[in-house]
Amino acid sequence: MNNTDFSSLGLHVDLVKNILSLGYSKMTPIQAQTLPDILKGSDVIGEGKTGSGKTAAFSLGILNKLDVKNFRIQSLVLCPTRELADQVASEVRKIGRTIHNIKVLSLCGGAPFGPQKGSLKHGAHIIVGTPGCILEHINKGNLALSYVSMFVLDEADRMLDMGFQPAVSSIVKHLPTNRQTLLFTATFSDDATVISSKIMKDPKIIRA
Ligand code: ADP
Ligand code: MG
């Protein structure tokens, strides 16, 4: 139970090798407490302060589940800002760099829409973006999410503070109901409780 070795999780061997090569020698507490349930396929709410390693926790969940030969959008990660989405996309790419042909796409406002649309035409396995931008691509018919099996809300408290709750709810309507949903946050507020009860199934709540 208290094992903090990445090798104790039953992750794909290449993921473990790569994470060790990145200098992540032990799991942080939030990783050690959430990853067993994430890898089992449960919905998980993870509360942990900034810098506790939440990104790698859900990135490993996404990447371990990914079927790279199936070139469809399998995971969607929502972040409150473009800066955070870019950070998450780069962490996912770093942790997934041993997976041949993996495609991670970041979709955020402020970046030109046309090239994003073009990138979507070429396809991706994992999309990371801000709610407004993701919703715009859905509404314009650029983004189909019917093969998403993993949905992540990162920095959920900030996303709700910024008024993204209606956009998140609209996006969820386009996702398969048969999916895994993860929610990460620095503080688990009442608003987060309300949204999680609407979009998650019997989530395991973990406070690190
Ligand atoms: P959070 O999202 O919880 O605020 P991050 O996921 O951004 O935190 O992680 C903070 C930093 O810790 C990042 O620079 C990341 O590379 C590093 N990190 C994550 N997990 C580990 C680990 N197991 N060992 C060492 N460093 C880690
Ligand atoms: Mg974070």
Side-chain angles (χ1 to χ4, degrees):
M1 180 61 214
N2 264 328
N3 199 336
T4 57
D5 287 341
F6 282 104
S7 59
S8 69
L9 293 167
L11 287 164
H12 295 303
V13 194
D14 50 345
L15 277 178
V16 177
K17 272 195 208 151
N18 185 44
I19 201 121
L20 294 175
S21 81
L22 293 171
Y24 295 12
S25 51
K26 295 278 182 191
M27 288 187 266
T28 65
I30 188 101
Q31 292 162 3
Q33 290 173 56
T34 58
L35 271 164
D37 287 318
I38 292 174
L39 297 175
K40 246 186 258 163
S42 303
D43 283 4
V44 172
I45 293 172
E47 183 191 283
K49 60 180 188 340
T50 301
S52 56
K54 298 188 288 294
T55 319
F58 65 74
S59 299
L60 283 167
I62 289 172
L63 293 165
N64 200 62
K65 193 170 178 168
L66 184 85
D67 174 10
V68 77
K69 292 198 194 80
N70 184 8
F71 194 38
R72 286 172 164 149
I73 299 168
Q74 297 171 41
S75 296
L76 174 66
V77 184
L78 298 182
C79 300
T81 65
R82 177 183 184 178
E83 187 190 30
L84 287 164
D86 287 341
Q87 277 173 28
V88 166
S90 86
E91 179 93 347
V92 173
R93 288 190 187 103
K94 202 167 77 171
I95 296 177
R97 66 186 175 178
T98 57
I99 305 173
H100 201 53
N101 287 332
I102 185 171
K103 187 84 202 303
V104 183
L105 189 61
S106 171
L107 296 176
C108 304
F113 200 76
Q116 289 186 8
K117 188 177 164 181
S119 302
L120 276 170
K121 278 222 172 77
H122 291 289
H125 297 100
I126 300 165
I127 302 277
V128 184
T130 49
C133 182
I134 296 289
L135 191 57
E136 196 175 346
H137 280 292
I138 292 172
N139 290 338
K140 293 202 165 132
N142 305 332
L143 181 57
L145 298 172
S146 47
Y147 293 96
V148 169
S149 59
M150 177 75 104
F151 177 50
V152 183
L153 290 165
D154 189 26
E155 311 261 357
D157 48 353
R158 277 189 70 187
M159 239 169 349
L160 296 172
D161 285 349
M162 290 170 72
F164 279 132
Q165 154 128 42
V168 172
S169 299
S170 304
I171 292 166
V172 168
K173 292 193 189 113
H174 295 268
L175 297 173
T177 50
N178 181 23
R179 62 167 193 270
Q180 184 177 10
T181 304
L182 309 178
L183 183 152
F184 282 86
T185 188
T187 54
F188 194 43
S189 63
D190 290 347
D191 286 350
T193 314
V194 171
I195 193 157
S196 67
S197 69
K198 287 184 187 154
I199 68 170
M200 302 180 86
K201 273 181 252 141
D202 192 21
K204 299 267 182 343
I205 302 175
I206 289 150
R207 300 191 147 97

